Amino acid sequence: MELFDTATVLTRVLTSGVVMSIEKSDRELPGLERLLTKRTGRARAALFNSRTGALHGALAGQGLGHGDTVSVPHTDRESLAFLAWLGLTTETTETGGTTEPGGTPAYDYVELTQENADRLPELAAHATAPVLVVDLTGLGFGPAAAVLTDSADVWARAERLKIFGAYDLRTMWTQEEADADLVPGVQFNYRLSPLVAACARMALTHAVRPAATSGAHS
């Protein structure tokens, strides 16, 4: 994204005065969620402020946690260490080919960069797991990721993992818990900033595959 576009987005968000994800009037986070669901073909999106947070949400959303053994796509050492810290035993699989003994992964994983952002629909089309994790960090605006799913239950549990996620915003003003069964034992500060969301959305909006050149060359 050009510096002018970045400055325009940042100015718009800062001028709005809505720079925290707990504001009811925020439009940047829902805007990024809508764009991601449209590009990936998934019904729901939960945004996180880190890749590891999204991995946590993807697994917790499926009811997987401490003491469980899960198959995960081939991933980096830091992510595996984080999942081990959560008390999960992981078995890695190879995506796009024959799976290892770990079997079908619990989630699919796509890492976006400025170079491949235009290919998100194509990359998402190859995902077969119930949850798709999209890492937006490579777009260049700070740690950010999303959990995409067609399951309302998976989405609800992933959202509920976040302090001041969608469910907290519904109840924080009334102090009345809407879905007591969804309340996790511990919540995490996985909230994504509207500033980062706005820049990531602009980068994805501008990610258009270059037109192929044609015609004779002199």
Side-chain angles (χ1 to χ4, degrees):
M1 193 161 70
E2 299 294 334
L3 291 178
F4 174 80
D5 297 321
T6 304
T8 300
V9 170
L10 293 177
T11 300
R12 184 187 76 229
V13 176
L14 291 172
T15 301
S16 74
V18 181
V19 295
M20 297 180 65
S21 61
I22 64 172
E23 298 287 349
K24 283 186 174 182
S25 57
D26 167 56
R27 296 181 180 181
E28 305 301 340
L29 297 172
L32 178 57
E33 291 170 353
R34 287 192 298 270
L35 178 59
L36 287 170
T37 55
K38 181 178 180 180
R39 294 282 176 90
T40 63
R42 301 298 177 103
R44 297 172 181 269
L47 300 176
F48 290 78
N49 63 6
S50 65
R51 174 191 60 205
T52 50
L55 297 182
H56 191 179
L59 295 171
Q62 298 176 76
L64 298 170
H66 190 278
D68 291 324
T69 299
V70 296
S71 296
V72 299
H74 181 71
T75 188
D76 60 274
R77 183 180 303 175
E78 290 78 11
S79 295
L80 291 176
F82 175 74
L83 296 179
W85 178 80
L86 292 176
L88 289 155
T89 299
T90 56
E91 298 175 346
T92 58
T93 66
E94 293 295 335
T95 58
T98 304
T99 58
E100 298 296 329
T104 304
Y107 59 84
D108 286 307
Y109 177 78
V110 170
E111 182 177 2
L112 290 186
T113 65
Q114 295 181 7
E115 288 71 31
N116 73 349
D118 62 295
R119 297 180 57 225
L120 176 56
E122 172 191 342
L123 297 171
H126 294 291
T128 57
V131 178
L132 172 64
V133 175
V134 177
D135 187 357
L136 305 167
T137 306
L139 297 177
F141 300 102
V147 171
L148 286 302
T149 181
D150 289 325
S151 168
D153 290 337
V154 170
W155 173 84
R157 286 191 288 265
E159 270 293 325
R160 206 62 181 84
L161 191 64
K162 300 186 294 185
I163 296 175
F164 294 124
Y167 277 80
D168 281 350
L169 290 179
R170 297 174 188 171
T171 62
M172 66 183 295
W173 310 110
T174 63
Q175 299 298 309
E176 296 178 1
E177 183 56 60
D179 294 280
D181 292 340
L182 284 175
V183 179
V186 179
Q187 287 181 292
F188 296 80
N189 188 7
Y190 286 150
R191 295 173 294 160
L192 182 63
S193 161
L195 283 168
V196 176
C199 290
R201 179 159 66 106
M202 182 62 70
L204 288 173
T205 301
H206 285 194
V208 178
R209 185 170 300 179
T213 58
S214 60
H217 296 280
S218 58

